[in-house]
Amino acid sequence: MQTAFHAMRPAVSRKPMFYTLEAMRGAAAFLIVDRHVGWLGTYDFPISGLAVDLFFLLSGAVLAHSYEDKLRTGKLSSGRYIGLRLIRLYPLYALFTLVGFANHAAAGPLTGADFAKLGSSLLFLPCIWIDGSVFPFDGPAWSIFFELLISVVYGVALHDKSIKTLACVCGAAATLFIVQAINQPGALDIAMTCQGVFETGLARVLFSFTYGVIIYRLAMRASAGESGLMSLIPLVAVCAMLMAPVESRWITNGSIAVILLAGLPACLFMALVFPAPDSWRGPFRRLGAISYAVYIGHVPLYHAADTVLKRQFHIDAMAYAPYSGFIFVAALVALAYGLHNAWDAPLRARLRNSAAAESPSRARGSREGIPVQSMP
C-alpha cells in the first residue's frame, strides 16, 4: 500500500508556498476575536465562526507538506511527530489557561471542582462533566484540542492513505456534520460546549482537515509560478466570505455548506498554486506568527482587562466601545508579537532541540521542510 501510494505521488517542491496561508490564518484569528470581544461594538460578522473550519483546512495542508513524506518513509516516528505537535501547541495554551484560571480565582473563592477543572485543562483534556465550555478557562481552546486530536489521527493512521481513501473519510465526516447541523441549530458553536462536543467537533475537524490534505496533494500537481495578484485573490476572497454582512434569514445550512465545500477549499487551492511574491512574505509571515497567540489568548486577556479596569479603575470599557475594543486589539497584537519572539518561539526551539538530542537519528528529518507552524 505504501509503495503504491509513493509511486502515484508527484515530486513535491520544498519551496515555501505558505505565506498566503499565514495571512489567511491571521485574518481568520482576528475575525474570531471580533466574535468574542464585546468592546468592538457592532462590528459583527454573522458567519465568521467558519474561520475555525478554515483553521482546520489550513492545518491539513500544512501538516501534509511538513510531515507526510517523513512519516511515510520512517524518517519521523509517529511518537516524535506527536511530540512536535504538543511542543507547538502547548506552551501558549498552558499560559493562557493559567491566565483564565487567575480570572476565575479573582471572581470568588476556589473550590475543589475548580482545581479539578484546572488539572484537566492543563492535561489538555476537555472538562466533559461540566455545563458550559469544555475548556472553562479558555473557551477557544476546544478547537486546539481537536487540532491536536486530528494531528494524532493523521500521524498514526491517515498520512499514508490514498486520495480516494481520504475522500471517503472526508465525505463521511461531511455527511455527519451536515446531519448534525440540520438537527441541531447552532451546530457551528456546539462543539465548544459539553453537549455534542465529540460528535460535532470530531465531524467538523475530520472533514476540514482531511479536505485540506486532499487539496494540498492536488495543488502540488498544478503548482504555478509566483503571482502577486493571483496570490492576493484567495486572501481577499476568504475575508469577503467570512465578513459578509448577511442578514440572519440568508444564513442557511445551504449557504454554509457552499462555503465549506467549495468557497474556502477553492481559496486554499489557489493560495497553494500561486505562491506570494518575495516582497509580500515579510508582512504575511508576521501576521501568521502572531495568529496563534491572538487566537488562544484573546478571551482570557479580554476578561482579565475587563476585571482590572472595573475593579482597580472603576472603568466600564463597554461604555467607550468600539474605541476601547480597538485599543484592546492593538495591545493584543503587541503582546502576541512579543510573546512569539521573546518566549514562545525560543521555548519551542529549546524543547525541539532537547527532544532531538534524545533522538539524534530523527533530529534532522523532523526539522527540515517545515514552512509554517499550523494552528486551527
Side-chain angles (χ1 to χ4, degrees), residues 135-150:
F135 286 91
F137 306 119
D138 193 350
W142 74 267
S143 65
I144 306 302
F145 167 76
F146 282 108
E147 156 78 7
L148 179 61
L149 188 61
I150 191 61

Side-chain angles (χ1 to χ4, degrees), residues 25-294:
R25 191 183 68 198
F30 283 104
L31 287 174
I32 295 296
V33 171
D34 176 75
R35 293 180 68 85
H36 297 151
V37 177
W39 297 344
L40 288 170
T42 59
Y43 292 86
D44 182 39
F45 307 107
I47 59 175
S48 60
L50 297 179
V52 173
D53 301 275
L54 176 62
F55 291 149
F56 295 146
L57 191 72
L58 297 177
S59 289
V62 170
L63 294 187
H65 178 84
S66 300
Y67 298 113
E68 191 164 274
D69 287 339
K70 298 179 182 66
L71 286 166
R72 181 174 42 76
T73 59
K75 293 180 180 179
L76 181 66
S77 68
S78 295
R80 178 162 171 75
Y81 160 78
I82 294 170
L84 290 172
R85 298 308 301 145
L86 280 169
I87 288 172
R88 170 63 185 120
L89 297 173
Y90 191 77
L92 282 176
Y93 163 77
L95 173 65
F96 287 116
T97 293
L98 292 174
V99 172
F101 181 73
N103 293 337
H104 184 75
L110 295 173
T111 66
D114 293 325
F115 287 102
K117 295 173 188 176
L118 176 62
S120 179
S121 296
L122 289 177
L123 290 173
F124 229 142
L125 298 174
C127 303
I128 59 176
W129 66 87
I130 64 174
D131 293 328
S133 174
V134 291
F135 286 91
F137 306 119
D138 193 350
W142 74 267
S143 65
I144 306 302
F145 167 76
F146 282 108
E147 156 78 7
L148 179 61
L149 188 61
I150 191 61
S151 296
V152 173
V153 172
Y154 172 76
V156 172
L158 295 179
H159 63 274
D160 59 349
K161 298 301 184 289
S162 66
I163 288 181
K164 183 181 294 186
T165 299
L166 290 178
C168 291
V169 173
C170 183
T175 301
L176 180 59
F177 189 19
I178 291 171
V179 169
Q180 290 172 346
I182 293 173
N183 294 331
Q184 302 179 63
L188 288 178
D189 291 322
I190 199 171
M192 65 185 298
T193 65
C194 186
Q195 179 188 10
V197 59
F198 281 105
E199 53 266 40
T200 303
L202 279 175
R204 187 174 181 180
V205 69
L206 188 59
F207 160 66
S208 294
F209 185 93
T210 53
Y211 206 170
V213 175
I214 293 170
I215 292 170
Y216 166 75
R217 293 189 190 173
L218 295 176
M220 292 305 97
R221 301 174 181 179
S223 182
E226 295 179 359
S227 171
L229 175 61
M230 298 302 288
S231 63
L232 187 61
I233 289 175
L235 175 60
V236 173
V238 160
C239 292
M241 281 186 282
L242 298 181
M243 297 174 68
V246 294
E247 297 183 20
S248 59
R249 67 176 181 271
W250 295 108
I251 305 176
T252 64
N253 290 327
S255 61
I256 290 174
V258 169
I259 293 174
L260 292 178
L261 292 171
L264 297 181
C267 291
L268 171 60
F269 183 84
M270 191 171 183
L272 289 170
V273 171
F274 297 100
D278 287 336
S279 58
W280 294 10
R281 291 177 179 178
F284 280 14
R285 290 200 72 174
R286 284 189 285 273
L287 184 57
I290 66 171
S291 62
Y292 183 35
V294 166

Side-chain angles (χ1 to χ4, degrees), residues 352-368:
R352 286 195 302 268
N353 291 336
S354 176
E358 297 177 5
S359 181
S361 63
R362 306 293 186 184
R364 183 178 179 182
S366 66
R367 292 196 299 266
E368 293 177 346

